[in-house]
Amino acid sequence: QSALTQPPSVSGSPGQSVTISCTGTSSDVGYYNRVCWYQQPPGTAPKLMVYDVSNRPSGVPDRFSGSKSGNTASLTISGLQAEDEADYYCSSYTRSSTYVFGTGTKVTVL
Amino acid sequence: QVQVVQSGAEVKKPGASVKVSCTASGYIFTDYVIHWVRQAPGQRLEWMGCIKVGNDDTKYSQKFQGRVTITRDTSASTAYMDLTSLTSEDTAVYYCAREKLGGYWFDPWGQGTLVTVSS
């Protein structure tokens, strides 16, 4: 199972919006609405930010939003804040009943 | 509160095995799935496998099939990940994470266990 493809890095100034893409195949991202996004600040464990493409767990700011079109999912962070600086990973359930993660994207707040 | 707490760091020699534990609290252990994910230094997250705690059903990534075994002890609310035939490429932080049955998302995650393989 190959990793889902994400851009290595994105950046933006405070208050701006950034979007991270996550491209898979018709056997994972494109097949199920089971895409999640995790935030991982340096040296810490991942934290769930979005599940089932576009749902936010309790406590996650509504600045974080997810979407999907075909084999590509996206995470948008609106109103970027310094605390959003971290690595972000997408993941998807697959037709093999396994899970696959993305290559990871480093978000930098300028 | 809901949490999963992992065992401490390990240092192993090539060819050895390692067993990492993940102890759950704050919820009904048997109603969930426990996943294991690893992250080599500076690398991406990599799914290894999982166990449905209630019925002991396991699923493994093809990459680790034959080298990894995930088990659980319901009386101790603890899951275990056993990885054999270690090489330097297995040096990584190993995480456990909880999935609600049919949820397809991982929350919360353990704090991670660093496994270093070195001669």
Side-chain angles (χ1 to χ4, degrees):
Chain A
Q1 181 75 53
S2 298
L4 307 176
T5 301
Q6 299 179 231
S9 64
V10 298
S11 62
S13 300
Q16 289 187 328
S17 293
V18 296
T19 296
I20 305 167
S21 61
C22 169
T23 301
T25 71
S26 56
S27 294
D28 38 63
V29 174
Y31 194 81
Y32 295 106
N33 286 327
R34 301 299 188 186
V35 176
C36 300
W37 290 91
Y38 298 93
Q39 178 193 64
Q40 187 181 34
T44 69
K47 173 188 173 185
L48 178 68
M49 303 301 284
V50 169
Y51 66 94
D52 288 353
V53 174
S54 59
N55 295 296
R56 282 186 310 277
S58 172
V60 172
D62 59 7
R63 304 183 289 103
F64 292 86
S65 62
S67 62
K68 191 188 88 166
S69 177
N71 295 339
T72 299
S74 298
L75 175 72
T76 297
I77 309 173
S78 306
L80 199 61
Q81 298 185 5
E83 67 206 50
D84 300 332
E85 194 160 282
D87 292 330
Y88 290 80
Y89 291 91
C90 59
S91 79
S92 177
Y93 186 60
T94 79
R95 290 186 67 181
S96 302
S97 302
T98 60
Y99 290 82
V100 60
F101 284 94
T103 50
T105 298
K106 181 177 181 60
V107 171
T108 301
V109 182
L110 301 171
Chain B
Q1 75 277 24
V2 173
Q3 60 178 355
V4 288
V5 178
Q6 300 179 221
S7 49
E10 303 262 12
V11 178
K12 296 292 183 180
K13 292 197 181 301
S17 299
V18 69
K19 191 168 187 172
V20 181
S21 69
C22 172
T23 300
S25 61
Y27 71 95
I28 300 173
F29 187 54
T30 50
D31 285 354
Y32 290 79
V33 182
I34 293 290
H35 293 260
W36 289 91
V37 176
R38 80 174 187 181
Q39 187 172 37
Q43 301 301 308
R44 69 177 184 94
L45 300 171
E46 189 171 28
W47 184 79
M48 300 180 69
C50 64
I51 185 166
K52 292 182 181 178
V53 175
N55 64 8
D56 205 22
D57 187 28
T58 54
K59 181 76 174 180
Y60 300 117
S61 165
Q62 205 164 359
K63 175 174 178 175
F64 300 99
Q65 191 85 39
R67 268 209 314 141
V68 67
T69 303
I70 299 173
T71 58
R72 92 299 194 232
D73 178 351
T74 55
S75 67
S77 296
T78 299
Y80 303 92
M81 188 281 299
D82 200 334
L83 188 63
T84 62
S85 303
L86 294 171
T87 72
S88 58
E89 295 190 351
D90 293 314
T91 293
V93 176
Y94 290 77
Y95 293 102
C96 67
R98 184 191 78 159
E99 177 209 340
K100 172 185 170 183
L101 271 169
Y104 306 98
W105 63 84
F106 305 161
D107 180 56
W109 294 58
Q111 81 276 20
T113 297
L114 176 61
V115 174
T116 303
V117 183
S118 173
S119 55

